[in-house]
Structures are given as C-alpha cells and as structure tokens.
Amino acid sequence: IPKPIIYSLIFICFGLISSVLGIIHPFVIIGAMALEGLPAILYSGAIGLILSACFYGIIKRKYWAFKATLIWYAINILILFINFIALATNLDTVIQLKLAHDPAHATLYTAAHVSFTSFASFLLGLVFALYIIINLYRNKDFFEKDLSNIV
C-alpha cells in the first residue's frame, strides 16, 4: 500500500474514533443546533458506517471506495464550511448549548475559546479532507476497476 494511502487511512480512523466517541457520549453540535441522545447516536453512527465502508473498500483496493471516499470528503468540506459559518454567526447560542450540556466546564466556554476551538477544528478537518482527496486521486491506479468483484 502506498504511504499516502496509509496516511489517508489513518486520517479516516480519526473520523471513526470521533464517530465512536459521538456514540458513547451522544452530544453533537451541528451549526447552532444540538443533537442529544438517539439523534446524536444515529448521526455519529451514520458517519461511522460511511467511514467504515470507505476504509474497508480502500483496504480491498475497490474502485467504488475511491469514488465514495472522494464524494464523502467533498461533502465533508461543504459541511465543515456550513458548520463553521453557522457557529461563527451564532456563537452565543452555541456557548449556551455547551453550558446547558456540560455546566461543569463552564470556564472553558468563553467566546474566545469556543471561537478558537471551532476554527482549529474547521482548519484541521479541512486539511485532512483535502489531504485524503488529493492523495487518493494521485494514487487512483491503486484501485481495481474490475466491477465483477465489487465486494
């Protein structure tokens, strides 16, 4: 397996870990809206399933995984932008959601801290997504185009 593909798989694992944590601790903020309980578990679980399928397909060198991973990370970039803009324009609402969910860490939920954390998350997510897209595309010959053996 080429090194860029290995690094891409590692970055996909970061997303899988985040999904598992979202299932274990079901609280997710999307833009200025909070998901808790079952909706948060379903959201995190859906992302976990998508990433698991991409990971499996890449390991198996399947061309469908190449396409699916490119599409997912392109969508992910759009989601990152939308979430970041929604969060930046609704900062007070997001802080209130965090305070309501986790009052024990109230000192962390200042405008400066939440803004920095959301920007750092946006930037890191963008870098990972672009890395995966660029390196999978550069290594597209790694994937088998034989559609008779789809699984």
Side-chain angles (χ1 to χ4, degrees), residues 41-70:
I41 291 170
L42 293 174
Y43 176 83
S44 296
I47 292 173
L49 286 174
I50 291 167
L51 293 175
S52 295
C54 291
F55 188 92
Y56 169 81
I58 291 169
I59 291 290
K60 295 292 187 176
R61 302 177 66 165
K62 300 300 177 187
Y63 193 71
W64 61 261
F66 166 73
K67 286 183 171 181
T69 306
L70 291 181

Side-chain angles (χ1 to χ4, degrees), residues 4-21:
I5 299 287
I6 292 171
Y7 297 145
S8 295
L9 289 169
I10 291 169
F11 291 156
I12 291 171
C13 284
F14 291 158
L16 282 168
I17 291 167
S18 178
S19 294
V20 170
L21 291 175

Side-chain angles (χ1 to χ4, degrees), residues 27 41 49 54 56-57 82 119 128-130 135 143 146-147 149:
F27 179 75
I41 291 170
L49 286 174
C54 291
Y56 169 81
I82 292 167
F119 180 70
F128 283 177
L130 288 172
N135 283 295
F143 298 93
D146 180 14
L147 296 178
N149 184 11

Side-chain angles (χ1 to χ4, degrees), residues 6-151:
I6 292 171
Y7 297 145
S8 295
L9 289 169
I10 291 169
F11 291 156
I12 291 171
C13 284
F14 291 158
L16 282 168
I17 291 167
S18 178
S19 294
V20 170
L21 291 175
I23 292 168
I24 294 170
H25 303 288
F27 179 75
V28 178
I29 294 180
I30 303 170
M33 180 180 74
L35 296 179
E36 292 186 77
L38 184 60
I41 291 170
L42 293 174
Y43 176 83
S44 296
I47 292 173
L49 286 174
I50 291 167
L51 293 175
S52 295
C54 291
F55 188 92
Y56 169 81
I58 291 169
I59 291 290
K60 295 292 187 176
R61 302 177 66 165
K62 300 300 177 187
Y63 193 71
W64 61 261
F66 166 73
K67 286 183 171 181
T69 306
L70 291 181
I71 291 168
W72 168 250
Y73 279 99
I75 291 169
N76 189 33
I77 288 171
L78 289 174
I79 292 169
L80 285 167
F81 274 107
I82 292 167
N83 275 340
F84 181 69
I85 291 167
L87 190 135
T89 57
N90 297 291
L91 191 58
D92 291 334
T93 303
V94 172
I95 290 171
Q96 293 307 313
L97 290 170
K98 287 180 172 283
L99 286 170
H101 178 73
D102 188 18
H105 295 101
T107 57
L108 296 175
Y109 303 132
T110 65
H113 185 264
V114 172
S115 294
F116 173 77
T117 304
S118 66
F119 180 70
S121 297
F122 164 75
L123 198 57
L124 194 58
L126 185 62
V127 167
F128 283 177
L130 288 172
Y131 181 90
I132 291 168
I133 289 170
I134 290 167
N135 283 295
L136 287 184
Y137 193 78
R138 284 182 179 168
N139 291 280
K140 65 182 172 186
D141 293 338
F142 170 78
F143 298 93
E144 299 172 355
K145 290 188 180 181
D146 180 14
L147 296 178
S148 63
N149 184 11
I150 197 156
V151 181

